[in-house]
Amino acid sequence: MSNDTSNAKFVQRIKNHPQYQELVSKRSRFAWTLSVIMLIIYYAFILVIAFAPKSLGTKIAAGSVISVGIPLGVFIIVVAFLLTGIYVRRANGEFDELTRKIKEDTK
Amino acid sequence: MRGIIASLFGLLATVWTPLLWAAEAAKPENKLNMTAILMFFAFVAVTLGITYWAASRTKTTKDFYAAGGGITGFQNGLAIAGDYMSAASFLGISAMVFAKGYDGLIYSIGFLVGWPIILFLMAEQLRNLGRYTFADIVSFRLSQVPIRTLSALGTLCTVILYLIAQMVGAGQLIRTLFGLPYESAVIIVGALMILYVAFGGMIATTWVQIIKAVLLLTGATFIALGALHHAGFSLEAFFRAAMEGVKASGLADHKKVVADSKDIFAPGGLVSDPISAISLGMALMFGTAGLPHILMRFFTVANAKEARKSVFYATGFIGYFYILTFIIGFGAVVLVAPNAQYVDMIKGTLAGGNNMAAIHMAHATGGDLFLGFISAVAFATILAVVSGLTLAGASAVSHDIYASAMRGGNVNEQTEMRISKFAALGIGIVAIFLGIQFEKQNVAFMVGLAFAIAASANFPILILSIYWKNLTTRGALIGGSLGLISTVVMVVLSKTVWVDVLGNKAPLFPYKDPAIFSMTLAFVGCWLFSKMDNSQQAAEEKARFDAQSVRCETGIGAAGSSGH
């Protein structure tokens, strides 16, 4: 029988591999946590626009014309980028290392 | 192949030259457009050269659909960013910031925040489970024929709507910038996109997109620097100048802002109520995750690692680009709005139409030569984006409908590629025809509708097929169809189509964006009809989930995990 995912025994062997369990739980927890962080930031922003749009027009300092909405908007863009960086760093390191081990053990 | 490209190129030149002379004779003030035309010809020459090179390397379906899987994460990041930075977002968002101020930023943010979610939940899963189209993933354990058909339908709806909007925009933009008649402009864009896709496949489409992304990012950076330079690189001075600009502006939108004493640095009237705000946010965020021409790009990289890197780079480029459009929009308030050269002070309109803010900014910051460059970049942007869309549509026809649904996968690669090339030709002709038909129509709603369909038909079945074991063919079919149909019905009955296009008095559906309702319908439909599905087939589909998730998590057995 070939070692691919059409082979039920092979699939079971990978599923029973302790590091497979570790990979799946770690990655899904990490991915969903980051997703929830992004969603909370974005929908908080949307809800402020929906319910209190004026608050985003508050000036950042007395005498300034710049509203808090502007740095906040740029901040959301930067955070979105940083979150992708954080995920890629851990996934391309730790998660790919786990995957490599699983593949080696189940060859 | 060489002959065809050479003769088409010759044809383009011969069609264009007399038209140019005619335009020149009619409008002597247009002489500056020669720069734009020369630069555009240079772009076309380079991209046709790439198409020729790509054609010689396109031997298999994997080359044709997925560029042989040999694109790096960085290159793919640029290409994805290129797909996303359409002329509509470059001109449209800077124009929205120009006219409405802060509201433009709300759109940019909505367009951007979908990317991290795509990375966390979909990018590597797509790479590990799919080969050429997103339907590969949905039909991984579900029934091929109905799922492929539904996915192809969702793809074609999204692609055609998006294409029409791009074609109409292209025709209008090129008429304004180059003095070329509308129909000729649409035909030239259509002909070039057919050439790129039919002969060069994904390799040509990717490289055209990468070149254009670099040109656009460079051009936009210079405009933004020009705007900031004007304010001595002080943000405070820059925004203060924008505030003064609004007061001195001849634009009707700005006069209204002053009359209502509104703040251009705070959310305005774009988002009128909470339901619209959330609905718009959902369409922007999840629509991105269901756009077939974007999803297809994840199959051009070698493995999950490169797929992740693609999104990281793409998010960086797109975020940077949106910050630039924001600066360009406010820069135009400073330099374009109070200037009678660009604004009709009496009528309160912008020369060339509302979308021209960024183009005028190029002129205001860099003179005629730079205007020529940016005009050529805008044209190149349209070409690159429509090519990506055409390739996605052609793949749905050849890979999903023909090879998988009609032939059950038993098909010769060369035949499948030939079908795809003919499909590209067919889609191109349809796009040219509809582009000309819709010249006088308001097509602004079409991009919104394309996003809403992507969010409500493509995205729900895709994400559920990856994560929810109990999804069955019946559930996906009913849920996906509900999403597709309800989106179209709600948009047609909303103000954008029912009142603005069809001329009725009052809309039958009160909200502009249906996503909050249509996405909910799609998800509930998928869930309910999967739960109620007790067939033998459903049990088998659930049983296949284990194999799918092992491949999804580890990439074992993933299609062609090496480049060449």
Side-chain angles (χ1 to χ4, degrees):
Chain A
M1 290 272 264
S2 62
N3 276 353
D4 65 42
T5 48
S6 63
N7 176 345
K9 277 196 183 133
F10 178 68
V11 168
Q12 206 49 50
R13 203 160 83 225
I14 291 186
K15 280 195 72 180
N16 292 338
H17 193 288
Q19 258 143 0
Y20 178 78
Q21 311 289 345
E22 185 188 342
L23 172 72
V24 173
S25 67
K26 270 189 179 165
R27 175 158 63 207
S28 74
R29 198 178 318 130
F30 191 50
W32 286 102
T33 308
L34 292 179
S35 300
V36 168
I37 293 174
M38 191 70 249
L39 286 170
I40 287 176
I41 293 175
Y42 178 54
Y43 281 98
F45 177 66
I46 289 288
L47 290 175
V48 172
I49 291 167
F51 291 104
K54 291 237 159 52
S55 62
L56 290 177
T58 320
K59 303 301 169 196
I60 51 168
S64 173
V65 294
I66 301 174
S67 65
V68 292
I70 293 171
L72 184 71
V74 174
F75 169 78
I76 296 175
I77 292 177
V78 173
V79 165
F81 177 59
L82 290 180
L83 288 178
T84 62
I86 292 169
Y87 180 81
V88 171
R89 201 187 149 89
R90 185 161 174 209
N92 281 2
E94 186 185 343
F95 298 159
D96 274 358
E97 183 56 28
L98 279 172
T99 310
R100 197 188 57 77
K101 269 190 205 145
I102 297 163
K103 281 183 183 169
E104 216 153 70
D105 291 353
T106 51
K107 245 183 205 156
Chain B
M1 172 68 208
R2 188 201 294 268
I4 296 170
I5 288 193
S7 55
L8 266 151
F9 193 55
L11 186 74
L12 272 180
T14 43
V15 169
W16 204 323
T17 321
L19 287 171
L20 284 182
W21 287 332
E24 292 296 305
K27 292 174 162 176
E29 76 275 13
N30 270 358
K31 65 182 188 309
L32 57 97
N33 288 350
M34 275 323 285
T35 336
I37 288 159
L38 287 177
M39 285 183 189
F40 177 69
F41 265 106
F43 177 82
V44 170
V46 169
T47 50
L48 286 179
I50 288 175
T51 307
Y52 179 71
W53 164 78
S56 68
R57 293 175 55 115
T58 302
K59 296 197 172 68
T60 62
T61 45
K62 190 181 173 191
D63 298 327
F64 186 80
Y65 295 126
I71 303 291
T72 68
F74 181 76
Q75 291 164 347
N76 197 37
L78 265 177
I80 290 175
D83 267 326
Y84 214 55
M85 301 182 296
S86 61
S89 61
F90 173 53
L91 302 177
I93 291 184
S94 53
M96 198 186 286
V97 174
F98 173 62
K100 314 266 184 209
Y102 193 77
D103 282 354
L105 190 64
I106 301 174
Y107 262 86
S108 315
I109 291 173
F111 280 124
L112 186 78
V113 291
W115 283 104
I117 306 292
I118 291 178
L119 170 67
F120 305 149
L121 303 180
M122 290 166 73
E124 56 202 271
Q125 288 79 358
L126 285 167
R127 181 62 196 85
N128 285 344
L129 292 175
R131 273 171 80 205
Y132 304 139
T133 62
F134 83 86
D136 290 340
I137 293 120
V138 189
S139 64
F140 192 89
R141 64 193 164 91
L142 304 185
S143 177
Q144 293 283 332
V145 177
I147 293 297
R148 294 268 182 189
T149 310
L150 174 69
S151 306
L153 196 66
T155 299
L156 288 173
C157 286
T158 318
V159 162
I160 296 283
L161 286 164
Y162 217 130
L163 264 180
I164 296 173
Q166 296 286 333
M167 285 303 225
V168 173
Q172 289 166 348
L173 183 71
I174 293 163
R175 182 176 50 199
T176 314
L177 295 181
F178 297 82
L180 202 64
Y182 179 88
E183 286 82 4
S184 320
V186 170
I187 292 169
I188 289 175
V189 169
L192 284 169
M193 106 192 160
I194 293 169
L195 274 182
Y196 294 153
V197 175
F199 293 104
M202 185 54 111
I203 301 179
T205 308
T206 302
W207 283 102
V208 168
Q209 199 58 273
I210 290 174
I211 294 175
K212 162 248 152 149
V214 172
L215 289 174
L216 182 56
L217 285 168
T218 312
T221 302
F222 277 107
I223 306 180
L225 284 177
L228 291 174
H229 172 73
H230 186 79
F233 292 100
S234 149
L235 285 178
E236 186 65 44
F238 178 70
F239 286 110
R240 195 170 290 280
M243 218 165 67
E244 298 304 319
V246 172
K247 287 181 195 148
S249 171
L251 202 76
D253 276 314
H254 290 158
K255 285 178 181 159
K256 198 168 176 307
V257 167
V258 175
D260 299 349
S261 59
K262 279 214 176 119
D263 183 356
I264 53 163
F265 303 132
L270 178 79
V271 185
S272 42
D273 60 286
I275 294 208
S276 300
I278 295 166
S279 199
L280 173 72
M282 287 172 74
L284 296 180
M285 186 171 213
F286 299 111
T288 307
L291 290 177
H293 64 299
I294 302 255
L295 296 173
M296 227 184 143
R297 293 227 165 270
F298 290 104
F299 310 125
T300 65
V301 293
N303 49 41
K305 196 184 224 98
E306 296 299 316
R308 293 180 199 119
K309 279 196 218 160
S310 315
V311 189
F312 171 67
Y313 290 120
T315 311
F317 289 127
I318 296 168
Y320 172 66
F321 175 73
Y322 283 144
I323 293 173
L324 294 179
T325 55
F326 188 66
I327 297 170
I328 293 169
F330 277 124
V333 175
V334 180
L335 296 172
V336 172
N339 191 331
Q341 191 185 352
Y342 309 116
V343 177
D344 185 325
M345 291 293 174
I346 296 151
K347 284 193 205 148
T349 53
L350 191 63
N354 286 335
N355 270 348
M356 301 302 281
I359 303 285
H360 292 316
M361 256 314 267
H363 187 251
T365 52
D368 290 350
L369 197 70
F370 193 51
L371 171 70
F373 174 73
I374 290 296
S375 303
V377 169
F379 201 163
T381 295
I382 293 172
L383 265 180
V385 171
V386 292
S387 303
L389 287 164
T390 304
L391 181 61
S395 312
V397 172
S398 58
H399 183 62
D400 295 331
I401 295 181
Y402 176 77
S404 306
M406 286 166 63
R407 290 300 181 86
N410 299 316
V411 59
N412 173 300
E413 285 204 14
Q414 297 307 318
T415 315
E416 186 177 335
M417 256 165 43
R418 202 169 326 122
I419 299 282
S420 204
K421 291 174 182 199
F422 279 112
L425 181 68
I427 292 170
I429 291 171
V430 169
I432 292 172
F433 175 75
L434 292 176
I436 292 173
Q437 289 302 307
F438 279 90
E439 180 188 356
K440 300 271 188 296
Q441 303 289 321
N442 178 357
V443 294
F445 73 92
M446 285 189 179
V447 171
L449 180 55
F451 263 81
I453 291 178
S456 319
N458 305 346
F459 174 73
I461 57 173
L462 182 57
I463 196 89
L464 287 176
S465 73
I466 296 173
Y467 285 97
W468 191 44
K469 181 178 180 163
N470 293 327
L471 182 73
T472 70
T473 299
R474 195 187 298 168
L477 209 57
I478 297 175
S481 309
L482 277 174
L484 180 63
I485 296 165
S486 65
T487 309
V488 175
V489 170
M490 283 189 263
V491 170
V492 169
L493 298 182
S494 75
K495 183 178 171 296
T496 28
V497 176
W498 196 249
V499 179
D500 299 349
V501 178
L502 299 175
N504 292 295
K505 273 210 186 74
L508 297 178
F509 178 72
Y511 302 106
K512 244 168 63 181
D513 288 288
I516 193 170
F517 305 104
S518 53
M519 274 184 78
T520 310
L521 257 175
F523 275 107
V524 170
C526 286
W527 172 77
L528 187 68
F529 289 94
S530 295
K531 278 285 178 198
M532 283 168 33
D533 188 353
N534 293 319
S535 62
Q536 177 63 32
Q537 187 194 335
E540 286 165 14
E541 284 163 359
K542 289 171 196 168
R544 283 197 288 267
F545 186 78
D546 274 356
Q548 178 191 308
S549 65
V550 163
R551 172 159 156 184
C552 182
E553 295 286 349
T554 62
I556 294 171
S561 42
S562 67
H564 74 134

